[in-house]
Amino acid sequence: MFNGLFRKIIGKKDDTSKDVAKNRLKFALIYDKLEVSDDIIKNLHKDMVEVISRYFEIDQKAFRLDIRRSDDLSALVVNTPILSAKHKHRNI
């Protein structure tokens, strides 16, 4: 059960160009239904990278932000490799 859910979330690694085009169309339809513009997604992407980077060293080029929809539920899915945690020293 969890394996199937995990695959749905991260997607297949061996996507064909047909699958990629199908996923892009799905995302376009979801964005339209939610009335989310490309500018909003770009700004959200930039803001999330900035905030996450305060706490973790991440691979910014591999950062992915998607909106997934099933039935009446939409989910914001963020996927990024975390290279390391940033540790701030507190003065006590």
Side-chain angles (χ1 to χ4, degrees):
M1 178 177 155
F2 290 111
N3 194 22
L5 179 62
F6 185 69
R7 282 189 187 143
K8 274 188 169 183
I9 291 172
I10 64 167
K12 297 177 187 174
K13 295 291 183 193
D14 57 346
D15 286 342
T16 64
S17 58
K18 178 185 87 171
D19 294 330
V20 171
K22 184 177 173 182
N23 285 334
R24 286 183 184 163
L25 179 59
K26 281 183 188 179
F27 292 137
L29 293 173
I30 290 168
Y31 294 159
D32 284 348
K33 184 168 180 126
L34 292 174
E35 297 179 4
V36 178
S37 70
D38 286 340
D39 287 339
I40 290 173
I41 295 297
K42 287 177 187 174
N43 289 336
L44 179 59
H45 183 281
K46 182 181 135 243
D47 290 347
M48 291 187 75
V49 166
E50 182 181 310
V51 170
I52 294 170
S53 293
R54 289 182 197 158
Y55 302 95
F56 298 99
E57 184 71 32
I58 63 172
D59 182 351
Q60 293 185 14
K61 291 180 182 177
F63 185 91
R64 297 291 177 259
L65 176 65
D66 296 314
I67 297 176
R68 304 271 170 103
R69 183 164 175 79
S70 65
D71 300 326
D72 293 333
L73 180 66
S74 295
L76 181 64
V77 179
V78 177
N79 188 348
T80 186
I82 296 175
L83 305 175
S84 66
K86 292 184 178 179
H87 302 283
K88 291 187 178 183
H89 299 284
R90 289 190 274 170
N91 293 334
I92 299 178

